[in-house]
Amino acid sequence: MSSGHSPPVVVLGAGWAGLTAALTLARAGRPVHLIEAARTAGGRARSLNLDATELDNGQHVLVGACRATLAQMNALGVNTETGFHTLPFGLRMFTPGQAESPPAFRLEPRSPRLPALAAALYRALPQSRFRERLRALRGAAAMLHRPLRDDLPVRDWLHANHQPPALIHALWDPLCLAVMNTPPRHASARIFQHVLRLALNHGPQAARLLLPARPLGTLFPEPALQELRARGARIDLGHRVTALESRADDPTASFRLHGRAGDPLPARGLILATTPAAAARLLPASRPWRPTQRGLQAMGARSICTVYLRYPHPLHEVAPLQGLLDQHGQWLIPRHLTGAPHWLAVVISAADDLQALTAPVRWRTVAHSLAETFPQLGTPEAGHTVCERRATVDARTGLDGQRPSPRTPWRGCILAGDYLTHALPSTLEAAVQSGLESAHLFLEDHP
Ligand SMILES: Cc1cc2nc3c(=O)[nH]c(=O)nc-3n(C[C@H](O)[C@H](O)[C@H](O)COP(=O)(O)OP(=O)(O)OC[C@H]3O[C@@H](n4cnc5c(N)ncnc54)[C@H](O)[C@@H]3O)c2cc1C
C-alpha cells in the first residue's frame, strides 16, 4: 500500500510505543510515515554494539503478564518461547563476602499461588519469631488481595502491612526498585500493587520471568520495521523533527512537521510517540494546551545505568538472574543468554543519586564489588558503563492522577508512550499498550 496522494499519518518516535502505533495503523490500511531522530529504532529498548558485540542499551526483564507486548511480537512472527529465557517467579539475593555459599535470601515458591508463596515467605524468615512471621504473612496476603483506595509511598505501605525490616531489605526494596525504578520511600504503592497483582494473582504463566535470549532489536524493532516496509510505510531514521504546525485551513493535511533540513512534511494525522519531555518541547504552550503541558511536565524522569563487564573466559555457569544486596548495583545478568558468553551486565536502578565517577572507575568499582561476592568470576579485561538519564518516568505517589490524556487540543494529534498508561510503571508493556490505544483513538476519530 502506498501513501498515494493523501498525506500519511505521521508517527513521531520509533520506540516500542511508536512502532506499535505505526503497525496498528498500517495494518488498518492507513498510509504511515514513521520518523525517528536516532539512527536505529527501539528508543529506550534497543540493541547497541560494544567491542564488536551486539548488546542492549539496558537489561529488559518481562513477566508473562506482559500480554500486549508478547502478542505484538507473536504477530510479527517472533517466537516468544525461544526469544526469551524463561524462569519461574523467584529471587536469589547475594551479599558480598559470601564466597560460594547459598544466597543470603531466597524466595523460590513452587508456584506463585498464595499457599506456596506464603510457605516460601515463611521459610525466608528463619530469624523471626512465629508471631512476627504470621503477621508478615497476613500483611503480604493483604498487599496482594486488598485493593488500595488511596495512594501512599511503598515504604509506608510495607510498614502498614507489618513487613519486617529483613524482608523489606532483602525482598521488597529490590523488587520495588526493579519494577518501578523509583526508591520505595517515594514510589507509588498503588502502581506497585497493580504490577504485583498482575504478575502474581494470575497463575504460573503470568508470573514467569522472561529474559531476552536475543539482542532486543531482533525481538521487536527490526521485525516491526520489516513489516512496515512491506506494507509500504515510509520510514525515516536519523531525522529529528524540531517544530510542529497545525493547519486548520487545509482539510487534507492537518499538520506540517519541520526538521533541520528539507521541506516541511505534511501529515493527515500525528501520533506523538516521543518521551514526555520531547513532546512538551514540540507542542504549543497556549491556554488550551495547559492541561496537556502540565501533565507532560509532571512526569519526571529516573535513570538506570548498566555496567557491562567482559571476562577473558566464557561464563556459561553464571545463573540467569541474581540479586545483589548491599552492593554497587542490584542485579547480575549474564549475557551468555543472548549469545555473548564473555559478558556480564550489572544493573544499577534509580541511579540518579550515584556518586559521580568516570565510566572506567564505575565499571572497575562494580567489578571489584562483584568479585567479593563471586570470586570465581576473576577479573574482567574490559568494561563499559551505559547510563540512560531518562530511562523511566518517576513512578512516585500520585503519578496516575497527573498523567496527561492521550487526546490533545489538536484533533488528530494523539500522544503515545509508556508514561501514559495508567497503573503501570514505565515498561515495554506500558509503551505497547499506549501505542495500541493511540492508534485506536486515531481510527475512532478518523474512521
Ligand atoms: C536501561 C533501561 C532498562 C529498562 N528495563 C526495563 C525492563 O526490565 N522491563 C521493561 O518492561 N521496561 C524496561 N525499561 C523501560 C522501557 O525501555 C521503556 O518503558 C520503553 O522502551 C519506552 O518506550 P516508548 O516508545 O514509550 O519511548 P521511547 O523508547 O523513549 O521512544 C521515543 C522515541 O522518540 C524519539 N524522538 C524523541 N524526540 C524526537 C523528535 N523530535 N523527532 C524524532 N524522534 C524523536 C526518540 O529518539 C525515541 O526513539 C528500561 C529502560 C531502560 C532505559
Side-chain angles (χ1 to χ4, degrees), residues 13 15-17 36-37 43-44 59-61 241 273 275 391 417-418 426-428 431:
W16 290 47
E36 165 58 48
R44 279 171 278 157
Q59 309 316 294
H60 281 71
V61 181
V241 167
T275 53
D418 60 353
S426 283
T427 47
L428 296 175

Side-chain angles (χ1 to χ4, degrees), residues 12-18 35-38 40 42-45 57-62 178 239-242 273-275 278 282 304 306 388 390-392 416-419 426-429 431:
L12 194 58
W16 290 47
I35 305 179
E36 165 58 48
T40 48
R44 279 171 278 157
N57 70 312
Q59 309 316 294
H60 281 71
V61 181
L62 275 68
H239 183 104
R240 179 172 294 280
V241 167
T242 52
T274 66
T275 53
L282 286 169
I304 299 180
T306 305
E388 292 269 2
R390 296 182 167 274
T392 67
D418 60 353
Y419 64 96
S426 283
T427 47
L428 296 175
E429 180 69 8

Side-chain angles (χ1 to χ4, degrees), residues 131-281:
R131 273 185 51 194
E132 280 164 10
R133 289 196 201 191
L134 210 58
R135 259 175 26 130
L137 289 189
R138 285 168 59 176
M143 284 162 60
L144 281 182
H145 290 276
R146 192 184 307 145
L148 261 177
R149 254 190 322 126
D150 300 314
D151 205 359
L152 74 168
V154 166
R155 188 56 73 68
D156 296 356
W157 185 53
L158 296 171
H159 287 150
N161 284 288
H162 311 295
Q163 298 305 288
L167 206 55
I168 292 179
H169 176 65
L171 170 67
W172 294 119
D173 281 0
L175 209 53
C176 175
L177 267 185
V179 168
M180 314 275 284
N181 194 34
T182 302
R185 64 182 184 285
H186 300 301
S188 157
R190 272 177 94 158
I191 298 179
F192 188 44
Q193 183 190 44
H194 185 69
V195 175
L196 291 175
R197 296 180 70 178
L198 281 178
L200 298 177
N201 289 358
H202 301 276
Q205 284 292 98
R208 292 177 309 160
L209 301 176
L210 308 175
L211 282 82
R214 297 197 231 142
L216 280 173
T218 66
L219 283 176
F220 185 63
E222 287 159 24
L225 291 185
Q226 229 169 45
E227 179 175 327
L228 285 169
R229 285 198 182 99
R231 287 184 180 274
R234 177 173 165 193
I235 296 169
D236 284 321
L237 300 177
H239 183 104
R240 179 172 294 280
V241 167
T242 52
L244 303 175
E245 190 190 342
S246 160
R247 299 183 55 84
D249 52 326
D250 181 347
T252 53
S254 312
F255 305 101
R256 287 214 307 196
L257 291 81
H258 302 265
R260 288 210 183 89
D263 292 334
L265 298 163
R268 168 92 181 81
L270 183 57
I271 306 283
L272 205 51
T274 66
T275 53
R281 281 194 300 273

